[in-house]
Amino acid sequence: MAQAAPAPGGMSRPGRTPEVEGRAAGAHGPAPDVFDARTHAMARIGVPVALGLVYGYWVAANNRSGGPITGWNLLLGFVSALVFAALFMALLTVAPRMRRESHALLWTAFTGCAFGFVYSQTGATILRSVLMALAVAAVTFAVFFYRYYTREDAFGRRTR
């Protein structure tokens, strides 16, 4: 190999002092907020709408199974997008005020129901749709409960 091994106690990387290393690791509190309040307000509306449109397209595409696009198919997609976006916005508003267990359960129920509905549009049996939704919900609960348990106190206040 053409590169030499670093010598112990040798030169450190330029510009990387211990203070800079600590900040890079998040030792001095949360990361700075890069966006202003207006950007956050737009994102609270824009992200649910964009995800709702993707979800509505996914539902409509699964429902038609590669067949022709019909008016009922478009209606199903737009109604699904509207309901998904409305529930998503409601969860973004309500869930952070809940305790960590309830917070995780709300997101679990939302994710499980959303996935179960999409999966049911493929033509699978109801039993298979429910089992798949429960599997997705179980994984979602495990991930969200761990996340909220390690980053919130018992009353739902963020610690990090």
Side-chain angles (χ1 to χ4, degrees):
M1 296 190 19
Q3 293 136 348
M11 290 182 49
S12 64
R13 292 185 287 174
R16 298 299 279 196
T17 63
E19 294 84 25
V20 172
E21 290 290 338
R23 269 184 281 158
H28 296 288
D33 194 6
V34 193
F35 301 111
D36 63 350
R38 182 173 177 257
T39 305
H40 283 284
M42 289 183 344
R44 285 193 73 79
I45 302 291
V47 170
V49 169
L51 289 177
L53 289 172
V54 170
Y55 182 80
Y57 173 75
W58 191 14
V59 168
N62 281 351
N63 181 267
R64 67 184 177 93
S65 301
I69 297 173
T70 63
W72 291 112
N73 187 252
L74 285 173
L75 181 65
L76 175 67
F78 282 117
V79 169
S80 299
L82 179 69
V83 170
F84 182 91
L87 287 174
F88 192 79
M89 280 189 251
L91 272 175
L92 285 177
T93 304
V94 172
R97 297 184 182 117
M98 310 286 289
R99 295 183 59 171
R100 59 186 173 208
E101 296 86 5
S102 306
H103 194 170
L105 278 174
L106 281 175
W107 282 108
T108 297
F110 175 72
T111 306
C113 290
F115 182 81
F117 181 68
V118 166
Y119 197 81
S120 72
Q121 296 303 309
T122 62
T125 64
I126 295 298
L127 179 62
R128 181 154 174 99
S129 298
V130 168
L131 291 176
M132 292 296 288
L134 286 175
V136 168
V139 171
T140 302
F141 180 74
V143 170
F144 281 169
F145 183 77
Y146 174 77
R147 181 180 188 277
Y148 299 139
Y149 194 79
T150 57
R151 289 177 173 79
E152 293 180 356
D153 64 6
F155 301 104
R157 293 184 298 262
R158 292 186 181 170
T159 59
R160 290 188 212 181

